Amino acid sequence: MPRVKCPKCGKVETILKSGFVRGVQRYYCKECIYHFTLIKKGRYRSSSFDNKRQTTIIDIAKAVGVSASTVSRALKNHEDIGSRTKALVKQAAIELDYQPNLLAQSLNRRETHVIGVVVPDIENPFFASVLSGIQHTASASGYKVMIYQSNESHKTEAANIQTIMNNWIDGLLICHSKETQTFEHLKLQMKKGIPIVHFDRICEETATSKVLLDNVTGAKQIVTHLLNEGCRRIAVIAGPKHLYITKKRIEGYESAFKNANIELNERWIAYTDFTKSSIHDAIDNWLMEEIKPEAIFCISDNSAILTMMYLKHLKLKIPEDICVAGFGNDYTGRIIEPALTTYDPHAFKVGETATKLFFDQVILGDKFEIKTVTIAGELIVRSSSLKRSYNPSDEEA
Amino acid sequence: MPRVKCPKCGKVETILKSGFVRGVQRYYCKECIYHFTLIKKGRYRSSSFDNKRQTTIIDIAKAVGVSASTVSRALKNHEDIGSRTKALVKQAAIELDYQPNLLAQSLNRRETHVIGVVVPDIENPFFASVLSGIQHTASASGYKVMIYQSNESHKTEAANIQTIMNNWIDGLLICHSKETQTFEHLKLQMKKGIPIVHFDRICEETATSKVLLDNVTGAKQIVTHLLNEGCRRIAVIAGPKHLYITKKRIEGYESAFKNANIELNERWIAYTDFTKSSIHDAIDNWLMEEIKPEAIFCISDNSAILTMMYLKHLKLKIPEDICVAGFGNDYTGRIIEPALTTYDPHAFKVGETATKLFFDQVILGDKFEIKTVTIAGELIVRSSSLKRSYNPSDEEA
DNA sequence: TTTTATATCTTAAACGTTTGCGATATTATT
DNA sequence: AATAATATCGCAAACGTTTAAGATATAAAA
């Protein structure tokens, strides 16, 4: 056995072994009751982390010969710091290519400058536009955008919200999935006090700011337009009954009729699930009857496209035999023939507004009162509804 | 003057005033040379931060009666911790609704589990799909996705990269803007050793992994198909000459001709900037000549749509008078009449693959070797190119 | 000159985790 | 019974900033 000296008393004869810990022999001195090991391992973090190391405030401090706090203050022009020191610090910061560690900042300040966004599906053009609006607005104010998709699944949505909230975001912008009908998963997180803004498919049960499409007005404008074109029997391809947009757009539809003092028949409203087959079924049902619709108002552009394709398949002429209108102003509506009359909800602006509402809440803090903003869109009249004045050559090249 | 006692020696007569600092009177004791203030302000962080406070590892430690490090280890099943303690800690964690602070974790571990993504434009369906693929794949592995748009601007792209890199992301997935022709802004950041993966519009100068569309094969397949349909004079609506996709798709175009042993005329290649007017100009030029093209291969679906609309405007019949094909398989290609022959680049898979390449690099570390993956797409033949067998009723309903 | 102000820095704690290594009580070996 | 090994914990430093409050040198005032 090697002669081991006690680091305290220096004696050798009092030393005993004391087992292994993580593979290294330990000793202890009977007299001092002092435990110790011989091998001194390397430092806290040895090698692999070093190359990732960025210049820190401390590096600057050393370079300039001041303390770290002085550097911190100098960089943000704190009045306590002398102009000479400020200049030196800033100079060094540039020379050393200093970039503040936002993580450390966030940890300290308890804010991340990250906005979490949950949308059902990024590939949906509407949401893509909203997202674009969010990203632009956020970026302009130095905020970052973290995205999640629920894939129209309630379960995924709940999971997303859970993880997103654990990431110390400063705010959450959300559009619920079609499936979502209960909102406990959201209410649970609201206790943390993080600003939440709903858009499009909102939740009416929570005290959150909301950004809405002008569903009622939009639908009303479209239907009024159809009425003006002379259509009286206007059918509706609606979505699932529980959906917010379904309710609202139907409301606009009814409002238009009421406004025009025209009777409305429940028979003309078909609640579908937006699938091709459910839409075809609805159309088949209407066409089987004696009295057929003169126009079909589809609650979404996508279903309008499906409707038009099916009608064309049935050799019906649009708009001569039947008019069609959609809602959303997807790019496709411009492409299909005849071009689709629709309502542009100004999706980009929806995202923009949602982000701004979030900013308001951040700035005003407790003084902020939640509000609901409705984004005015615009009616886009194209050939698919121009029964009276249809002229194929109107189509733009 | 109030009688102030020295906190050290307790004397009163030795106390002198010593100015104000941040509004509070300071004193000092002549004897002790000790400076002090009377008012003791509140703690480090007083009120407003408290409500945002989450349960920490320290709270659990107190509740269970162990140290913070034991809690940390217990929660990740470290072998050093006894099973009884583990159970107690986990129980307390649940009861106190503990959520680890990912910021603190990231700061300590020097990894954020965040992937930064820079795309030219989220509203572009192709990028939306790629983004969707990235988000899905990242989420599945517990990574978060932070998005930026360059808006096809080199300047914005550079700024994005700069800020994104300061955010301690674990990796960067990027598709360059159309404008981008120099890559110094990227190379500068590469020194930090953060994995970068290029997709679609890649950078050939950097040692980064890349995910490519099968531009050459795709274009070749399309053109070969057109040749098979009997077209010989196949014109091309290309993009700007410096663009990677322009080069590659032209390469495929030429390859198809070479393969078929057919002479190719430079006259049939038009470099546009994808705008409506530049496309119209190109078409006008071709149609003015004696010998007109039998087919037009557009390098993107969007330009194909514009081409078709213009051709229809000119009363040319597609595909009888002239065939058209695109590239990209945008949704619109299914809607337009006749439906557009195109090439599906499998955008979602591009995003998925880029993310996986990033993961590979993270897992393998230094042992990882950069690679370039080409995603096989598929030719989508629709009516717009079926010169020989065109039957309008083929269109799907 | 003596006392008080001002200008400019520094110290140290705090944000919430992770982790190297030291410290004991307990159990197993001679 | 003495010594060695094992099983469990705790301490403290480190990640990079921010900031309340203390410490001086210098200038101003009395």
Side-chain angles (χ1 to χ4, degrees):
Chain A
M1 178 176 149
R3 291 322 212 156
V4 180
K5 272 201 301 186
C6 171
K8 295 267 188 183
C9 59
K11 290 181 185 165
V12 174
E13 58 283 9
T14 57
I15 300 301
L16 291 176
K17 285 189 182 173
S18 171
F20 292 87
V21 60
R22 276 166 292 268
V24 292
Q25 179 66 260
R26 300 204 79 221
Y27 304 91
Y28 81 106
C29 173
K30 265 200 291 190
E31 265 191 27
C32 315
I33 320 187
Y34 178 65
H35 295 251
F36 61 93
T37 54
L38 289 181
I39 310 138
K40 293 288 167 191
K41 285 263 189 71
R43 295 281 323 109
Y44 180 61
R45 253 64 179 279
S46 47
S47 60
S48 76
F49 278 39
D50 280 356
N51 49 357
K52 283 194 185 175
R53 209 173 161 286
Q54 284 269 86
T55 304
T56 75
I57 223 171
I58 298 175
D59 297 326
I60 300 180
K62 282 178 189 160
V64 180
V66 294
S67 75
S69 59
T70 300
V71 174
S72 174
R73 290 196 170 97
L75 289 175
K76 44 179 64 77
N77 279 320
H78 192 286
E79 50 170 13
D80 263 15
I81 308 300
S83 54
R84 195 182 130 71
T85 313
K86 271 182 192 168
L88 284 172
V89 167
K90 285 175 184 174
Q91 180 61 30
I94 292 169
E95 278 171 10
L96 297 176
D97 188 29
Y98 168 74
Q99 303 294 348
N101 183 329
L102 299 177
L103 247 66
Q105 270 182 347
S106 296
L107 181 59
N108 191 290
R109 305 230 288 243
R110 301 201 174 188
E111 58 181 38
T112 54
H113 280 205
V114 171
I115 301 177
V117 180
V118 179
V119 291
D121 174 20
I122 305 175
E123 300 192 54
N124 178 320
F126 172 76
F127 293 124
S129 290
V130 174
L131 195 57
S132 182
I134 292 173
Q135 200 275 320
H136 265 106
T137 319
S139 247
S141 298
Y143 275 73
K144 294 148 271 176
V145 178
M146 206 127 86
I147 51 159
Y148 286 84
Q149 302 182 82
S150 67
N151 309 313
E152 301 285 12
S153 144
H154 176 84
K155 206 172 164 184
T156 311
E157 177 182 308
N160 281 341
I161 291 180
Q162 171 75 15
T163 51
I164 216 171
M165 282 303 203
N166 291 344
N167 271 282
W168 284 64
I169 53 167
D170 285 359
L172 174 64
L173 273 38
I174 184 171
C175 171
H176 287 290
S177 82
K178 277 181 197 164
E179 270 181 33
T180 302
Q181 301 188 46
T182 61
F183 300 92
E184 299 313 314
H185 58 304
L186 232 202
K187 291 178 188 167
L188 209 73
Q189 302 288 345
M190 285 189 62
K191 289 181 293 189
K192 297 190 181 168
I194 294 175
I196 298 178
V197 181
H198 276 99
F199 59 90
D200 191 20
R201 303 188 202 147
I202 63 159
C203 163
E204 291 173 293
E205 306 168 18
T206 53
T208 51
S209 282
K210 305 177 214 302
V211 180
L212 293 172
L213 313 191
D214 205 347
N215 287 297
V216 180
T217 310
K220 188 174 171 181
Q221 282 184 29
I222 291 175
V223 176
T224 303
H225 161 74
L226 290 172
L227 287 168
N228 288 342
E229 285 294 312
C231 302
R232 284 299 170 271
R233 298 185 299 279
I234 303 176
V236 183
I237 296 283
K241 224 168 186 168
H242 73 268
L243 225 61
Y244 182 84
I245 59 166
T246 300
K247 294 181 202 161
K248 289 298 171 185
R249 293 176 193 177
I250 291 284
E251 191 182 323
Y253 166 76
E254 291 170 341
S255 166
F257 272 82
K258 194 168 181 180
N259 231 337
N261 255 320
I262 301 178
E263 200 73 21
L264 172 153
N265 192 331
E266 277 296 325
R267 183 196 150 204
W268 299 121
I269 302 180
Y271 295 97
T272 76
D273 55 5
F274 288 135
T275 59
K276 192 190 271 191
S277 62
S278 69
I279 290 173
H280 288 191
D281 287 350
I283 295 175
D284 286 340
N285 276 336
W286 289 323
L287 296 182
M288 266 165 43
E289 301 287 327
E290 190 74 19
I291 303 175
K292 303 183 185 355
E294 294 164 305
I296 301 182
F297 164 43
C298 301
I299 231 178
S300 77
D301 269 13
N302 196 47
S303 46
I305 299 290
L306 292 173
T307 298
M308 284 178 73
M309 291 178 91
Y310 190 54
L311 291 176
K312 288 200 271 187
H313 177 76
L314 297 176
K315 307 292 178 199
L316 286 169
K317 296 219 180 308
I318 305 168
E320 295 93 326
D321 299 335
I322 189 166
C323 291
V324 178
F327 194 112
N329 196 24
D330 290 355
Y331 185 65
T332 46
R334 246 161 297 175
I335 305 305
I336 199 167
E337 282 172 70
L340 179 66
T341 289
T342 186
Y343 181 80
D344 185 342
H346 291 181
F348 187 92
K349 196 170 182 189
V350 169
E352 197 179 50
T353 309
T355 314
K356 282 181 180 164
L357 276 179
F358 159 72
F359 286 148
D360 286 351
Q361 193 159 356
V362 167
I363 293 167
L364 291 175
D366 293 338
K367 286 192 289 291
F368 177 80
E369 288 175 22
I370 61 160
K371 50 184 152 184
T372 298
V373 178
T374 303
I375 303 298
E378 79 191 285
L379 180 67
I380 310 274
V381 176
R382 298 205 191 92
S383 319
S384 73
S385 66
L386 293 176
K387 193 177 184 172
R388 294 197 160 154
S389 50
Y390 179 58
N391 180 356
S393 66
D394 279 355
E395 304 290 328
E396 43 179 336
Chain B
M1 178 177 149
R3 294 319 215 159
V4 181
K5 271 200 301 184
C6 171
K8 295 264 186 187
C9 60
K11 290 180 184 164
V12 174
E13 58 282 9
T14 56
I15 301 301
L16 291 174
K17 286 191 183 172
S18 171
F20 292 88
V21 62
R22 276 166 292 268
V24 291
Q25 178 67 260
R26 301 203 79 219
Y27 303 91
Y28 82 106
C29 174
K30 268 200 289 191
E31 265 192 28
C32 314
I33 319 186
Y34 177 65
H35 294 250
F36 61 94
T37 55
L38 288 181
I39 311 138
K40 292 287 169 191
K41 284 265 187 73
R43 295 282 320 108
Y44 179 61
R45 253 63 179 280
S46 47
S47 59
S48 75
F49 277 38
D50 280 356
N51 50 356
K52 283 195 186 175
R53 208 174 162 284
Q54 284 269 84
T55 304
T56 75
I57 223 170
I58 299 175
D59 296 326
I60 299 180
K62 282 178 189 159
V64 180
V66 293
S67 75
S69 58
T70 300
V71 173
S72 174
R73 290 191 170 102
L75 290 175
K76 46 180 60 78
N77 280 319
H78 193 285
E79 51 171 11
D80 262 13
I81 307 300
S83 54
R84 195 183 128 73
T85 311
K86 272 182 191 166
L88 284 172
V89 167
K90 286 176 183 172
Q91 179 62 29
I94 292 170
E95 278 169 10
L96 298 176
D97 188 29
Y98 169 74
Q99 303 293 349
N101 184 329
L102 300 177
L103 247 68
Q105 269 181 350
S106 295
L107 181 59
N108 191 289
R109 306 229 289 243
R110 303 201 173 189
E111 58 182 36
T112 55
H113 281 205
V114 171
I115 302 177
V117 180
V118 179
V119 292
D121 173 20
I122 305 176
E123 299 192 56
N124 178 320
F126 172 76
F127 293 124
S129 289
V130 174
L131 195 56
S132 181
I134 292 173
Q135 199 277 318
H136 265 105
T137 318
S139 247
S141 297
Y143 275 73
K144 292 149 273 177
V145 178
M146 207 127 86
I147 50 160
Y148 286 83
Q149 301 181 83
S150 67
N151 309 314
E152 300 286 10
S153 145
H154 176 83
K155 206 171 163 185
T156 311
E157 177 182 308
N160 281 340
I161 291 180
Q162 171 75 15
T163 52
I164 216 170
M165 282 302 204
N166 290 344
N167 270 281
W168 284 64
I169 53 168
D170 285 0
L172 174 63
L173 274 38
I174 184 170
C175 172
H176 288 289
S177 81
K178 277 180 197 163
E179 271 182 31
T180 302
Q181 300 188 46
T182 61
F183 301 92
E184 299 313 314
H185 58 304
L186 233 202
K187 290 179 189 166
L188 208 73
Q189 302 290 343
M190 284 189 63
K191 289 182 294 189
K192 298 191 179 167
I194 293 175
I196 297 178
V197 181
H198 276 98
F199 59 89
D200 190 19
R201 303 189 201 144
I202 63 159
C203 163
E204 290 173 295
E205 306 168 18
T206 54
T208 51
S209 282
K210 307 176 211 301
V211 180
L212 293 171
L213 313 191
D214 204 346
N215 287 296
V216 181
T217 310
K220 188 173 172 183
Q221 281 185 29
I222 291 175
V223 176
T224 303
H225 161 74
L226 290 172
L227 288 168
N228 288 342
E229 284 293 314
C231 303
R232 284 298 171 271
R233 298 185 299 278
I234 303 176
V236 183
I237 297 283
K241 223 166 185 170
H242 74 267
L243 224 60
Y244 182 84
I245 58 167
T246 299
K247 295 180 202 162
K248 287 299 170 181
R249 293 175 194 176
I250 291 285
E251 190 182 326
Y253 165 78
E254 291 170 341
S255 166
F257 271 84
K258 194 168 183 181
N259 230 335
N261 254 321
I262 300 176
E263 199 75 21
L264 172 151
N265 191 332
E266 277 297 325
R267 182 196 151 204
W268 298 121
I269 302 181
Y271 294 95
T272 75
D273 55 5
F274 287 135
T275 58
K276 193 191 270 191
S277 62
S278 67
I279 291 172
H280 288 192
D281 287 351
I283 295 175
D284 286 339
N285 275 338
W286 288 325
L287 295 182
M288 265 163 46
E289 301 287 327
E290 189 77 16
I291 302 175
K292 303 183 186 351
E294 294 164 306
I296 302 181
F297 164 43
C298 302
I299 230 179
S300 77
D301 268 14
N302 196 49
S303 47
I305 299 289
L306 291 173
T307 299
M308 284 178 73
M309 291 176 90
Y310 190 54
L311 291 177
K312 287 201 274 187
H313 177 75
L314 298 175
K315 308 291 179 201
L316 285 169
K317 295 219 178 311
I318 306 168
E320 295 93 326
D321 298 335
I322 189 164
C323 290
V324 178
F327 195 112
N329 196 25
D330 291 356
Y331 185 65
T332 47
R334 247 161 297 174
I335 305 304
I336 199 165
E337 282 172 73
L340 179 66
T341 288
T342 185
Y343 181 79
D344 185 343
H346 290 181
F348 187 93
K349 195 169 182 188
V350 170
E352 196 177 51
T353 309
T355 314
K356 281 182 181 164
L357 276 180
F358 159 71
F359 285 148
D360 286 352
Q361 192 159 354
V362 168
I363 292 167
L364 292 174
D366 293 339
K367 284 192 292 291
F368 177 81
E369 289 175 22
I370 61 159
K371 49 183 153 183
T372 298
V373 178
T374 303
I375 303 298
E378 80 192 284
L379 180 67
I380 310 275
V381 176
R382 299 206 190 93
S383 319
S384 74
S385 66
L386 293 176
K387 192 177 188 173
R388 295 196 159 156
S389 50
Y390 179 58
N391 180 356
S393 66
D394 279 355
E395 304 290 327
E396 42 180 333

